[in-house]
């Protein structure tokens, strides 16, 4: 895809497929059933790829908390309807990445404070080094070496570029 915002390749399509397999293997060793909650819209692509590799029973739901990439102080509204009951369930929150971690920390806290789950964990393709501490188990394939802004595979810039099938550095 041609865009002035798409820069140096960070994760190729093959590396993304490999990363999905790595995270799926970790989850398959840990769970026999779970509720997968996708963080929308960013987590849609990773969730779609990931759940097809899971070898345990899942139920699926979604949660939303719009934010600006890299913003660790997101205070936008959390929207969650609990379409699937969470009481006593193992819950896995799935997003494309943990960048600053601020939004994910809020979402984790929201589930912990409002629902009696058996366990809560997070699954993402990658994490960044400058992220805040999130007090749950995190399953991921890659740890980035820096906090560069990235686009593609669910990661947007100005609400665009989510559909790029690889991940690249953002060029402003």
């Amino acid at each position: 895809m041609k865009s002035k915002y798409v820069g140096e390749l960070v994760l190729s399509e093959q590396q993304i497929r490999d990363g999905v397999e790595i995270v799926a293997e970790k989850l398959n060793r840990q769970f026999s059933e779970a509720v997968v909650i996708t963080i929308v819209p960013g987590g849609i692509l990773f969730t779609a790829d990931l759940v097809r590799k899971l070898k345990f029973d899942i139920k699926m739901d979604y949660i939303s908390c719009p934010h600006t990439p890299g913003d660790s102080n997101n205070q936008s509204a959390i929207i969650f309807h609990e379409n699937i009951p969470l009481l006593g369930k193992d819950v896995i929150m799935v997003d494309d990445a943990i960048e600053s971690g601020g939004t994910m920390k809020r979402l984790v806290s929201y589930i912990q404070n409002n629902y009696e789950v058996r366990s809560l964990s997070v699954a993402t393709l990658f994490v960044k080094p400058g992220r805040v501490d999130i007090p749950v188990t995190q399953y991921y394939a890659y740890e980035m070496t820096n906090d560069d802004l990235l686009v593609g595979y669910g990661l947007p810039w100005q609400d665009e570029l989510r559909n790029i099938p690889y991940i690249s550095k953002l060029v402003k």
Side-chain angles (χ1 to χ4, degrees), residues 17-48:
R17 283 191 294 274
D18 293 346
V20 169
E21 290 283 349
I22 290 166
V23 176
E25 287 174 18
K26 291 177 181 182
L27 295 173
N28 285 330
R29 286 193 300 266
Q30 187 65 35
F31 297 97
S32 59
E33 66 179 4
V35 176
V36 171
I37 299 178
T38 304
I39 314 318
V40 296
I44 293 171
L45 297 179
F46 182 61
T47 301

Side-chain angles (χ1 to χ4, degrees), residues 20-37 47 50-60 89-94 118-119 121-123 139:
V20 169
E21 290 283 349
I22 290 166
V23 176
E25 287 174 18
K26 291 177 181 182
L27 295 173
N28 285 330
R29 286 193 300 266
Q30 187 65 35
F31 297 97
S32 59
E33 66 179 4
V35 176
V36 171
I37 299 178
T47 301
L50 180 66
V51 297
R52 289 180 283 179
K53 302 293 182 183
L54 298 179
K55 295 177 171 55
F56 54 90
D57 292 333
I58 64 165
K59 293 181 180 178
M60 295 180 68
K89 303 291 185 186
D90 291 319
V91 175
I92 306 166
M93 300 185 77
V94 179
R118 178 174 29 192
S119 72
S121 56
V122 171
Y139 301 94

